[in-house]
Amino acid sequence: MKVLKRIINSKYFMVVLWTVLIVTIWEIFAFIVQYTKRTPVNVLPHLSGILESILSTKTINGSQTALQMVLVNAGATLSRAGIGFLIGTALGFVLALLMNLSGTVEKVAFPYLMLIQMIPVLGMAPIILALTGDIGTSRTVIAAILTFYPVATNTLAGFKGVQKEKHELMYSYAASKFQVYVKTLIPACLPSFFTGMKIAAPMAVTASILVDTLQGGIGLGCLLSQSLKGAMTRYVFWQIVLLSAIVGILSFVLIGAIEKKVCPYNQKTKG
Amino acid sequence: MLSMVDMRTDVEIMLKDIGMTYKTSTNTDVTALTNVTMNIHKGEFVSLLGPSGCGKTTLLRIIADLLTPTVGEISVGGESPREARLKRKYGIVFQGAVLYDWRTVKKNVMLPLEIMHLPKKDCEERADKMLEMVGLKDFAKHYPRQLSGGMQQRVGIARALAIQPEILLMDEPFSALDEFTREKLHEDLLRIWRKTNKTIVFVTHNIQESVFLSDRVCVLSPHPGRISALIDIDLPRPRTVEIKSTPEFTGYVAQIRSSFEGI
């Protein structure tokens, strides 16, 4: 019993359980699909098939294997998404700061923020492309725009959520506005800031892929649509799906790890 | 009687005809305080006692320059509350400890000193001294969430005293603590007060607490908030919990209880 309890409480147990569950569910459905659909690989292939295509050394466009192609295109898409994410995060933080400093800025900027957020990515993409004139840059900009909103709103909520007494305490110390921000508001808003980043990271990646599909060039999305149109093996599509899922999880874990490093006080350890 | 008090030269906080009127959302005036006149002397321990709505916290916040009275005169340490605040003449302790959970206990105590731009070495030395005084020397490197409520409030007191103010303002600092912890903190607070000679203004709704701690209890009654009695507590010091079972102590408690008006 004790051993069982230790296994259940262990850090890795959830990861293992989670993996086993998703593999099982995937395979159950893959079997159903295999016997009920005419082209099972279009609906849900077996994981073994995807694995096989990943490990395959057969070139599919004369020079690259499926995996090589996916990785090269992933590099392009993810670097755009990554750079856009970092720019959007920085801008989002600065805007939150400005909105908190001035009620006027908040009142003026907030409706625009909402508006930008409501324009569908697919509608925004051609406009941004026309403005920037470069496919790569336009996708970075779109990733930045999508990152910007959740980071800005969450950070602003973090600023506003600071206890009234903390403001009064700083007031009683005759602290300058700069000191109020450096000593109180900015450290206090960090958990909310990281929440915003966690929401934004997968959005930046999925938006990048989506815009790829629309505009072509190099990128995961282009590869995705080519594979769907039958220009190359359908397993490329499944490799991309798998890769995107892994990248999404990794970005979440990575931001969580940075958060733990920056805000160690959030850990639930008793000393 | 009042003129005798006024003749004393060691007045730390002077309140004269203080009144405070709020406008509510429906645009009606609510009088939170009216005609508050009293002097608090250097080194005195004064409690502002009353039920909720009597304006005791409002009065404390007026002294702290967190609120400006609608009418009346006030001086803190011989100056306007604003000047007193800018010169950091008072330290304040709230009902919750209001600690910074991203700072260790010691760094919490160092916070106001950093704001004052004290050299780092001085900050550390002073923080160590304060933590020793409140009995938390061994917890300097802990984070607030690792401490009990009583310990957190001790950190709050250490932080308020770190700036070496002349006045300590306390707004129901122990009301969220259990009885045992509270009694321990009462004795500790009196010990610290004796050692540092601060003027303490202590807001509470607990009659026993005010009698046990204070030189003088200022009884406030609500609707409108006003002073209904100023009672000198003539109990010997140093005081220990045993004093609570003496007839003198219970006499004061009864006297105060009967002095509330209009509740």
Side-chain angles (χ1 to χ4, degrees):
Chain A
M1 269 324 272
K2 243 184 193 166
V3 180
L4 198 69
K5 220 173 211 169
R6 203 183 306 155
I7 291 171
I8 290 172
N9 286 334
S10 110
K11 220 168 31 172
Y12 302 105
F13 177 72
M14 274 333 260
V15 181
V16 173
L17 181 73
W18 190 84
T19 316
V20 168
L21 268 180
I22 196 146
V23 168
T24 314
I25 294 168
W26 183 298
E27 281 300 312
I28 288 171
F29 281 97
F31 267 109
I32 296 171
V33 166
Q34 190 185 345
Y35 294 111
T36 54
K37 303 282 176 194
R38 273 201 301 171
T39 49
V41 68
N42 290 5
V43 185
L44 196 70
H46 283 288
L47 284 168
S48 59
I50 302 174
L51 205 65
E52 207 175 291
S53 81
I54 289 173
L55 299 173
S56 154
T57 51
K58 209 174 86 193
T59 59
I60 54 169
N61 64 348
S63 58
Q64 291 171 308
T65 65
L67 182 65
Q68 280 168 342
M69 275 195 82
V70 168
L71 288 182
V72 167
N73 283 278
T77 297
L78 293 181
S79 61
R80 285 176 205 142
I83 294 167
F85 174 74
L86 291 179
I87 294 171
T89 300
L91 287 178
F93 183 81
V94 171
L95 187 81
L97 205 62
L98 291 176
M99 286 198 289
N100 197 55
L101 275 166
S102 150
T104 318
V105 172
E106 189 189 345
K107 275 184 212 133
V108 172
F110 216 86
Y112 285 110
L113 270 180
M114 297 277 291
L115 212 66
I116 290 173
Q117 203 56 22
M118 281 190 296
I119 300 172
V121 180
L122 293 180
M124 195 156 44
I127 304 172
I128 304 287
L129 179 58
L131 286 174
T132 56
D134 176 69
I135 282 185
T137 317
S138 81
R139 289 171 198 175
T140 306
V141 170
I142 286 171
I145 289 173
L146 282 177
T147 306
F148 185 72
Y149 182 78
V151 171
T153 45
N154 275 285
T155 309
L156 185 63
F159 282 140
K160 301 220 182 245
V162 173
Q163 261 175 304
K164 190 180 106 223
E165 283 89 348
K166 287 209 170 87
H167 284 282
E168 291 177 348
L169 206 59
M170 294 306 272
Y171 184 76
S172 82
Y173 298 151
S176 68
K177 203 154 203 173
F178 179 75
Q179 286 175 323
V180 172
Y181 272 87
V182 171
K183 300 283 184 197
T184 303
L185 293 184
I186 292 177
C189 87
L190 284 182
S192 312
F193 171 67
F194 279 107
T195 303
M197 281 172 77
K198 280 182 195 164
I199 297 169
M203 279 170 69
V205 175
T206 43
S208 270
I209 295 175
L210 193 64
V211 179
D212 283 345
T213 24
L214 189 73
Q215 294 172 337
I218 186 169
L220 273 185
C222 319
L223 209 58
L224 201 74
S225 58
Q226 283 170 31
S227 164
L228 280 175
K229 284 172 195 155
M232 60 186 70
T233 160
R234 186 54 67 95
Y235 279 110
V236 168
F237 169 84
W238 290 108
Q239 282 190 23
I240 293 170
V241 169
L242 211 61
L243 183 75
S244 308
I246 292 169
V247 168
I249 295 167
L250 279 184
S251 69
F252 195 86
V253 171
L254 182 71
I255 294 168
I258 296 172
E259 183 182 3
K260 230 174 213 177
K261 194 92 192 157
V262 178
C263 322
Y265 52 90
N266 270 343
Q267 284 165 322
K268 286 182 186 142
T269 46
K270 282 243 171 194
Chain B
M1 174 71 189
L2 203 65
S3 60
M4 255 175 67
V5 173
D6 284 345
M7 273 160 61
R8 286 180 61 169
T9 52
D10 58 345
V11 174
E12 185 80 282
I13 298 167
M14 186 272 290
L15 302 162
K16 201 173 160 209
D17 294 325
I18 295 288
M20 184 81 198
T21 312
Y22 289 108
K23 271 229 183 319
T24 61
S25 50
T26 52
N27 222 22
T28 46
D29 286 340
V30 174
T31 308
L33 280 175
T34 182
N35 285 327
V36 171
T37 299
M38 76 178 293
N39 288 334
I40 296 168
H41 304 106
K42 285 196 167 75
E44 195 178 16
F45 197 128
V46 172
S47 285
L48 306 178
L49 173 74
S52 45
C54 72
K56 55 192 191 297
T57 294
T58 304
L59 191 55
L60 190 87
R61 294 167 68 83
I62 287 172
I63 297 169
D65 189 37
L66 289 164
L67 286 172
T68 311
T70 328
V71 289
E73 272 177 62
I74 171 171
S75 80
V76 178
E79 296 173 291
S80 73
R82 183 180 151 76
E83 282 164 343
R85 174 176 65 82
L86 293 178
K87 289 183 183 168
R88 298 172 181 111
K89 283 196 174 178
Y90 73 81
I92 190 161
V93 179
F94 296 101
Q95 183 177 355
V98 197
L99 300 180
Y100 286 50
D101 47 10
W102 59 89
R103 285 172 166 257
T104 60
V105 163
K106 186 172 166 183
K107 291 253 180 180
N108 262 286
V109 179
M110 283 165 65
L111 174 74
L113 307 175
E114 289 170 15
I115 299 219
M116 291 162 72
H117 297 295
L118 246 63
K120 190 152 189 287
K121 202 172 137 257
D122 295 6
C123 288
E124 299 219 358
E125 271 173 19
R126 233 198 252 183
D128 284 334
K129 226 173 82 190
M130 291 301 136
L131 285 177
E132 183 160 10
M133 188 165 70
V134 299
L136 287 178
K137 204 173 71 176
D138 298 335
F139 294 87
K141 290 203 171 78
H142 283 58
Y143 282 97
R145 61 182 303 152
Q146 297 169 309
L147 305 184
S148 67
M151 286 157 101
Q152 290 186 5
Q153 204 51 281
R154 284 169 197 268
V155 180
I157 293 169
R159 181 178 59 186
L161 291 174
I163 59 175
Q164 297 179 338
E166 282 138 56
I167 304 162
L168 187 58
L169 304 177
M170 308 181 86
D171 189 4
E172 303 191 25
F174 307 142
S175 61
L177 305 177
D178 65 78
E179 189 66 27
F180 302 98
T181 311
R182 193 183 311 152
E183 284 193 341
K184 180 77 180 74
L185 276 163
H186 284 162
E187 289 191 359
D188 284 345
L189 179 62
L190 289 182
R191 175 179 54 78
I192 291 166
W193 172 60
R194 206 167 49 237
K195 199 172 155 192
T196 57
N197 275 321
K198 306 290 179 202
T199 307
I200 298 185
V201 183
F202 189 98
V203 169
T204 178
H205 54 235
N206 184 323
I207 300 175
Q208 301 231 352
E209 181 173 70
S210 69
V211 173
F212 181 74
L213 293 172
S214 314
D215 292 326
R216 204 145 53 110
V217 175
C218 170
V219 180
L220 291 147
S221 292
H223 314 300
R226 65 199 186 276
I227 297 178
S228 50
L230 274 168
I231 296 164
D232 288 304
I233 307 296
D234 223 349
L235 295 171
R237 293 191 189 268
R239 296 173 189 170
T240 54
V241 273
E242 286 77 42
I243 208 171
K244 290 188 181 175
S245 33
T246 63
E248 287 83 2
F249 186 90
T250 46
Y252 279 122
V253 171
Q255 186 192 348
I256 288 171
R257 193 167 282 139
S258 65
S259 64
F260 285 108
E261 301 160 359
I263 301 168

